[in-house]
Amino acid sequence: MKIWCCLCFGEEEEYKNRETMREREAILGNIDCDQGKLKEIGNDEGIGSGNMRDEDDGIKLPLELGEGSSKSTAEVNLNLSLGGESSCSTAVPVLGRDEDIDRDSHSKRPKVHSLALDCDSFFLSGPFQESRPLSLIEKEYERRHNSSGHHECLASDDNDSLFTPNNWRMEEDENASPETEDLEIRMDLTDDLLHMVFSFLDHINLCRAAKVCRQWRIASAHEDFWRFLSFENRNISPQQFQDMCHRYPNATQVNINGSPAIHTLVMQAISSLRNLELLTLGKGQLGETFFQALTDCTMLKSLIVTDAILGNGIQEIPIYHDSLQHIQIVKCRVVRISVRCPQLQTLSLKRSSMAHAVLNCPLLHDLDIASCHKLLDAAIRSAVTSCPLLESLDMSNCSCVSDETLREISSTCGNLHILNASYCPNISLESVRLPMLTVLKLHSCEGITSASMAAIAYSYMLEVLELDNCSLLTSVFLDLPRLQKIRLVHCRKFVDLSLRSLVLLSIKVSNCPSLQRINIVSNSLQKLVLQKQESLTCLELQCQSLQEVDLTDCESLTNSICEVFSDGSECPMLKSLILDNCESLTAVEFCSNSLTSLSLAGCRGITSLELTCPFLEQVSLDGCDHLERAICSPVGLRSLNLGICPKLNTLKIEAPTMVLLELKGCGVLSEASINCPLLTSLDASFCSQLKDDCLSATTASCPLIESLILMSCTSVGSDGLASLRWLPNLTSLDLSYTFLTNLQPVFDSCLQLKVLKLQACKYLTDSSLEPLYKDGALPTLRELDLSYGSLCQASIEELLACCTHLTHVSLNGCVNMHDLNWRFTVDRVYQRFLQNLNCVGCPNIKKVLIPSTAHFSNLSSLNISLSANLKEVDVACLNLCFLNLSNCGSLEILKLDCPRLTSLFLQSCNISEAAVESAISQCNMLETLDVRFCQKITPASMGKLRTSCPGLKRIFSSMVPI
């Protein structure tokens, strides 16, 4: 089998290609798969097995096609055709002869066209290829020679590279071995299906697909996929470009923008590609001959020239073409330009430097002369008025344009729909009438004032109006039936806005510091954003479809704004209202059946809030720290946080769907009516004025409460606690920092209680908790917090000994605790479920003894840090994982029998090195050890500690990093 690297492909020229290959075979000879014949032919033609080059610097590589098939070889001609010479320099002269070479077509199998990628050689400059013509091929040959089985197309995985296809033409003898045929990988897909799929791929992915199998190579090489030749910003030589044009004579699009010698390249494209429809070029100089030769390119439809020098800078540049429809000459240097294209529809001369432009384009409907600073007013007038069918005109940044020019344009171009006259300081639209205008942009036009609105009002077809940075504009009064969008940004003197348009969809008003009044009538407007209008005091809306309003930082809005958005107003569908940082609001009252979201964050002046919004789901009151009275009845809220309102004294809530209510920090709240039948969590921390009658009414109307926090509710007494019997689902109760002396109402009412917190309840006596460990009260209790209490040592020991169902116990700061000596007799207890024990900051604890006979087999966490007088710790717990003895400065003895201990903290302990080493020797699973600021443990001890406990992963020491 032979594989020849050729330069053209396409199913439409299959017959021609077959004849071409026959001629090449006549010259180069047949190479059979037989090794002897291959050697004979190699001797005849001067091609040995060790030869790597032919006369034209190509490469012919004999490749083994499979193991065990020594007779089956393939000769690959990898000619880098895109260098300085043609890809078939040896074959081209032969192909030009008139000899008729007769070959037996039946002795060959059908030719197969497929895709190879010479992208590496193609994109190197000519001099580089001449100096290293074979380096890339030798590298590729090494890769292929070491592979077994099939041939791959040359490809690069660099997505930034542009891949250009070459054609592989393959001819095989009928006598080729079947092993060779089996080496081809074939995907069982029809050609039509492949063609459809490949039509969605770009050139890079087509090149990758070509490496899969022979069928895919054929499909990816179809001419339809290679009609666009792009060499943008590529260092391509004229010879290379000429080769490409000869390969793809049916290409319809060419891009040589940024390539060197663009004039030479484009002249070759015009002469070679007769079907060219789109031509893109730039970043160079184009001579006059190019524009003269354009007429020869009869199929050309679009011409794009960017950042180029046209002509020699003196003469007029003519662009005469009968078929051109689109021209873009952007950022080009030219003195004068003349365009005569009878079919031209769009023309862009944006940012070009010509002083004169002559247009003879009767069908032109889109003209862009933006930023053509040298075009005089008369030149613009002459050019535009010569296009009577003009529909779109962009003359922004043309500072010479006057009202006289606009008046003449309005009388000549009756179909003008789009006009961009931004940054034209001399226009005021005086006596200008543009009735068919739909889009008008007047950014930074200093001459636009309130008087200009009279001219704009004549444009009854207007849909889009932009008036940004019109510094002299003070008011806008417009009644335009088709206006859909308006922009007013950075209009410093703008005071009054009145708009009437039933189809208005979008209003952008921003940074207009003097704006005071807004009146809008629209049946289509759904969202209104008026942020940072500091002077806005009056807002009138008749918007039947309005759903979202944002008035953030409108500091001058008063309480009357509530009437605009309440029931009976002209905004019946309003759902979201944002009034953040409107500090002039004092009494907010909304009654709306449509409102679902309300934000009053930062409204520090509000003292009264009344909401009658049954579908209200969200309300934000962050920063409303002066709120004194809140009535929400009814509302659809699921949660409400009023803890940020420290001055709140009266509260009424009726919320059928509310599940979470936070009143934390409402220290002066004395009247509270809470009717939330689905409420499950109530946090009334620090509500010191909340009394028993209030708590009783709340428990009666909210029977589903599961979590109740009454921390620092010092006014709650036994009567209030007795009302907890109405809460059958109560599982968590926090009575910390209260003055309670009797907990019997809790024991009698809260039968399902699991968590009880009694921090700093200093008035509880030693007998207050006796029902827990003597009478078996609260059998479901799992967590108990007695931190900073006054219970004696005996009560605590009895509690820990008898309440075996407890899993979490906190005794932090208990000054009456002296020792944790848990040598309970075996007959008193069988199993304990305690998992976490916290005794942080107990100053009188001196000894901790937890033997295995105490049956604390579930204990996993023990924290006794900050116990300054602790001297001895002896713990034997099978499942203990975490032990914290930090800041126990008197600790001397440490005995641990905790095989599952993983973390031990001894920070700032005065314990000796030997004691630590002995203690951790029995902790085989220890991973983390903290001995920072332990004065008796030296840096040399780290190695000993690791030896005592080989499983240690982390040792924290303040003296040496480990």
Side-chain angles (χ1 to χ4, degrees), residues 692-910:
D692 289 346
D693 56 344
C694 220
L695 180 59
S696 300
T698 300
T699 56
S701 59
C702 308
L704 299 182
I705 291 180
E706 299 175 2
S707 174
L708 179 61
I709 302 177
L710 299 174
M711 180 189 297
S712 293
C713 293
T714 54
S715 298
V716 173
S718 298
D719 293 340
L721 295 180
S723 68
L724 299 181
R725 66 182 181 277
W726 303 112
L727 304 178
N729 298 322
L730 186 65
T731 58
S732 177
L733 177 62
D734 190 347
L735 298 173
S736 302
Y737 296 92
T738 58
F739 300 152
L740 297 174
T741 58
N742 184 13
L743 294 178
Q744 192 61 43
V746 176
F747 299 147
D748 295 338
S749 304
C750 307
L751 302 180
Q752 302 298 323
L753 200 63
K754 296 181 179 179
V755 179
L756 177 60
K757 296 184 179 181
L758 299 170
Q759 295 183 26
C761 292
K762 297 185 180 298
Y763 292 93
L764 290 177
T765 63
D766 293 340
S767 61
S768 299
L769 295 178
E770 286 185 357
L772 282 178
Y773 55 84
K774 287 186 177 181
D775 302 334
L778 304 181
T780 61
L781 190 65
R782 294 295 179 266
E783 298 183 25
L784 179 61
D785 190 346
L786 298 173
S787 301
Y788 309 105
S790 57
L791 294 181
C792 66
Q793 175 82 16
S795 298
I796 294 175
E797 288 183 352
E798 288 288 336
L799 183 69
L800 293 175
C802 298
C803 296
T804 59
H805 50 79
L806 292 177
T807 60
H808 293 71
V809 176
S810 295
L811 300 169
N812 303 325
C814 291
V815 295
N816 294 329
M817 282 190 61
H818 299 286
D819 290 319
L820 284 178
N821 189 351
W822 292 351
R823 287 183 174 174
F824 308 120
T825 57
V826 177
D827 58 349
R828 293 186 57 187
V829 64
Y830 297 95
Q831 185 179 6
R832 305 180 189 279
F833 293 96
L834 188 64
Q835 299 176 7
N836 293 76
L837 177 62
N838 296 317
C839 298
V840 178
C842 296
N844 295 321
I845 292 182
K846 297 180 180 179
K847 183 178 181 180
V848 175
L849 177 59
I850 307 178
S852 58
T853 57
H855 294 278
F856 282 97
S857 57
N858 293 307
L859 187 64
S860 60
S861 175
L862 178 60
N863 190 349
I864 320 177
S865 60
L866 294 171
S867 299
N869 295 315
L870 182 62
K871 292 184 178 181
E872 181 181 352
V873 174
D874 187 351
V875 178
C877 292
L878 178 64
N879 292 311
L880 188 66
C881 299
F882 176 89
L883 177 60
N884 190 352
L885 300 172
S886 298
N887 294 286
C888 296
S890 301
L891 185 63
E892 297 176 356
I893 301 173
L894 179 60
K895 297 179 181 179
L896 300 177
D897 185 8
C898 307
R900 297 184 180 179
L901 186 67
T902 59
S903 300
L904 175 61
F905 294 86
L906 299 171
Q907 187 177 153
S908 299
C909 290
N910 200 24

Side-chain angles (χ1 to χ4, degrees), residues 436-655:
M436 302 302 293
L437 209 60
T438 59
V439 178
L440 177 59
K441 298 182 180 181
L442 298 171
H443 295 200
S444 300
C445 293
E446 299 176 1
I448 297 298
T449 64
S450 299
S452 305
M453 297 302 106
I456 295 177
Y458 278 93
S459 302
Y460 65 93
M461 302 285 288
L462 196 63
E463 298 177 359
V464 178
L465 176 61
E466 298 182 6
L467 299 169
D468 295 0
N469 291 292
C470 293
S471 56
L472 299 180
L473 185 63
T474 58
S475 62
V476 172
F477 296 92
L478 292 174
D479 185 355
L480 298 171
R482 301 194 179 187
L483 186 65
Q484 299 180 14
K485 178 181 178 182
I486 185 170
R487 281 178 55 97
L488 290 158
V489 179
H490 292 290
C491 298
R492 297 192 305 272
K493 297 183 178 181
F494 188 55
V495 176
D496 203 342
L497 172 63
S498 179
L499 294 175
R500 184 180 182 86
S501 174
L502 298 182
V503 296
L504 188 65
L505 296 175
S506 173
I507 299 177
K508 175 66 174 178
V509 180
S510 177
N511 294 302
C512 299
S514 301
L515 182 61
Q516 299 179 7
R517 295 176 296 277
I518 296 179
N519 187 343
I520 300 174
V521 178
S522 171
N523 287 340
S524 302
L525 186 64
Q526 297 185 0
K527 184 175 182 178
L528 177 62
V529 179
L530 299 171
Q531 296 180 353
K532 295 184 179 181
Q533 306 304 319
E534 295 89 349
S535 302
L536 184 63
T537 58
C538 180
L539 180 62
E540 298 180 10
L541 301 176
Q542 298 181 38
C543 304
Q544 300 298 317
S545 301
L546 188 62
Q547 298 184 14
E548 299 179 35
V549 176
D550 188 349
L551 298 171
T552 301
D553 294 313
C554 294
E555 300 175 355
S556 300
L557 284 177
T558 60
N559 297 334
S560 61
I561 193 67
C562 300
E563 300 176 2
V564 178
F565 302 113
S566 294
D567 285 346
S569 66
E570 299 296 331
C571 303
M573 298 184 65
L574 185 67
K575 294 183 178 180
S576 174
L577 177 61
I578 301 176
L579 294 169
D580 294 351
N581 301 316
C582 296
E583 298 186 356
S584 296
L585 296 177
T586 58
V588 175
E589 181 178 355
F590 288 107
C591 179
S592 173
N593 288 317
S594 62
L595 194 64
T596 60
S597 177
L598 174 64
S599 180
L600 298 169
C603 297
R604 301 184 182 277
I606 295 180
T607 59
S608 175
L609 175 65
E610 293 188 23
L611 300 177
T612 305
C613 307
F615 298 100
L616 185 65
E617 298 176 355
Q618 293 181 334
V619 62
S620 175
L621 299 172
D622 295 346
C624 298
D625 46 17
H626 289 82
L627 184 63
E628 300 177 359
R629 178 173 172 269
I631 298 177
C632 305
S633 176
V635 291
L637 296 172
R638 290 184 56 82
S639 64
L640 178 62
N641 183 5
L642 292 172
I644 45 176
C645 306
K647 295 185 179 182
L648 185 67
N649 56 56
T650 302
L651 174 64
K652 180 180 179 182
I653 296 179
E654 182 181 345

Side-chain angles (χ1 to χ4, degrees), residues 241-406:
F241 185 74
Q242 185 177 9
D243 284 346
M244 296 300 294
C245 292
H246 288 162
R247 278 179 224 160
Y248 312 115
N250 293 322
T252 59
Q253 301 180 35
V254 170
N255 186 345
I256 54 175
N257 186 30
S259 300
I262 59 171
H263 181 78
T264 303
L265 300 184
V266 74
M267 295 303 291
Q268 292 176 347
I270 291 176
S271 62
S272 303
L273 306 176
R274 294 302 179 182
N275 295 323
L276 193 61
E277 297 179 0
L278 172 61
L279 180 59
T280 304
L281 61 157
K283 297 181 181 179
Q285 185 168 7
L286 293 173
E288 186 180 2
T289 55
F290 160 68
F291 297 98
Q292 295 173 350
L294 274 179
T295 55
D296 298 334
C297 202
T298 57
M299 302 294 292
L300 191 63
K301 297 293 188 298
S302 300
L303 173 64
I304 302 175
V305 183
T306 306
D307 195 14
I309 302 174
L310 308 185
N312 57 13
I314 300 176
Q315 78 275 28
E316 178 180 275
I317 295 300
I319 302 179
Y320 302 155
H321 200 282
D322 292 336
S323 300
L324 266 177
Q325 297 179 4
H326 310 283
I327 297 178
Q328 292 184 30
I329 299 179
V330 180
K331 199 180 177 182
C332 292
R333 281 161 284 181
V334 59
V335 175
R336 182 183 177 92
I337 191 168
S338 176
V339 182
R340 187 176 65 199
C341 302
Q343 300 297 323
L344 193 65
Q345 298 179 13
T346 62
L347 172 63
S348 176
L349 302 174
K350 188 174 183 178
R351 301 178 64 187
S352 296
S353 61
M354 65 277 178
H356 301 280
V358 178
L359 305 182
N360 186 0
C361 310
L363 299 182
L364 188 69
H365 61 73
D366 191 335
L367 176 61
D368 185 354
I369 54 174
S371 300
C372 294
H373 300 291
K374 294 185 179 180
L375 271 180
L376 300 178
D377 187 36
I380 295 175
R381 188 185 315 156
S382 174
V384 176
T385 55
S386 64
C387 307
L389 299 182
L390 199 63
E391 297 179 0
S392 174
L393 173 61
D394 187 347
M395 55 181 183
S396 57
N397 280 291
C398 293
S399 55
C400 298
V401 177
S402 65
D403 284 336
E404 183 181 354
T405 295
L406 287 179

Side-chain angles (χ1 to χ4, degrees), residues 31-271:
I31 302 177
D32 295 335
C33 295
D34 184 80
Q35 283 282 14
K37 191 171 183 179
L38 177 63
K39 182 176 180 181
E40 177 182 353
I41 294 177
N43 293 333
D44 292 342
E45 296 185 4
I47 304 175
S49 61
N51 290 347
M52 300 293 290
R53 304 172 184 248
D54 62 4
E55 290 107 359
D56 59 351
D57 288 334
I59 299 179
K60 298 181 180 179
L61 307 176
L63 302 180
E64 294 294 331
L65 293 182
E67 296 181 3
S69 57
S70 60
K71 294 183 180 181
S72 182
T73 63
E75 180 175 293
V76 184
N77 185 354
L78 302 176
N79 192 308
L80 294 184
S81 62
L82 299 177
E85 298 181 358
S86 177
S87 61
C88 296
S89 57
T90 59
V92 169
V94 178
L95 295 176
R97 296 186 303 176
D98 295 329
E99 298 179 5
D100 185 12
I101 303 174
D102 186 16
R103 303 285 303 207
D104 184 4
S105 61
H106 297 287
S107 66
K108 297 295 177 185
R109 293 184 180 179
K111 300 179 180 64
V112 180
H113 303 280
S114 65
L115 184 62
L117 308 176
D118 282 345
C119 58
D120 291 328
S121 64
F122 173 70
F123 293 116
L124 294 174
S125 61
F128 183 84
Q129 293 183 42
E130 293 175 3
S131 62
R132 297 191 62 187
L134 290 176
S135 59
L136 296 176
I137 291 299
E138 289 171 351
K139 182 177 179 181
E140 181 66 13
Y141 170 66
E142 267 188 357
R143 183 179 66 80
R144 293 190 181 203
H145 192 63
N146 294 330
S147 64
S148 63
H150 62 278
H151 303 292
E152 297 179 356
C153 297
L154 297 175
S156 171
D157 289 333
D158 186 2
N159 289 339
D160 295 332
S161 299
L162 176 66
F163 294 90
T164 59
N166 292 334
N167 190 35
W168 285 62
R169 182 170 294 150
M170 305 173 61
E171 294 188 8
E172 302 178 15
D173 285 340
E174 282 185 346
N175 298 325
S177 64
E179 291 82 2
T180 303
E181 195 70 31
D182 293 338
L183 290 173
E184 291 292 335
I185 302 174
R186 182 176 180 84
M187 305 295 292
D188 190 14
L189 298 174
T190 65
D191 292 340
D192 290 340
L193 178 59
L194 275 180
H195 189 91
M196 181 184 67
V197 173
F198 284 2
S199 66
F200 294 97
L201 302 182
D202 56 15
H203 288 178
I204 294 176
N205 290 313
L206 279 172
C207 295
R208 290 172 177 165
K211 298 191 296 182
V212 174
C213 63
R214 178 188 302 176
Q215 183 191 20
W216 285 35
R217 288 199 298 270
I218 298 172
S220 63
H222 197 279
E223 185 180 65
D224 290 347
F225 306 143
W226 302 96
R227 295 188 181 276
F228 176 33
L229 306 179
S230 178
F231 309 103
E232 185 173 3
N233 297 319
R234 298 294 178 180
N235 188 19
I236 180 174
S237 68
Q239 182 62 45
Q240 291 172 329
F241 185 74
Q242 185 177 9
D243 284 346
M244 296 300 294
C245 292
H246 288 162
R247 278 179 224 160
Y248 312 115
N250 293 322
T252 59
Q253 301 180 35
V254 170
N255 186 345
I256 54 175
N257 186 30
S259 300
I262 59 171
H263 181 78
T264 303
L265 300 184
V266 74
M267 295 303 291
Q268 292 176 347
I270 291 176
S271 62

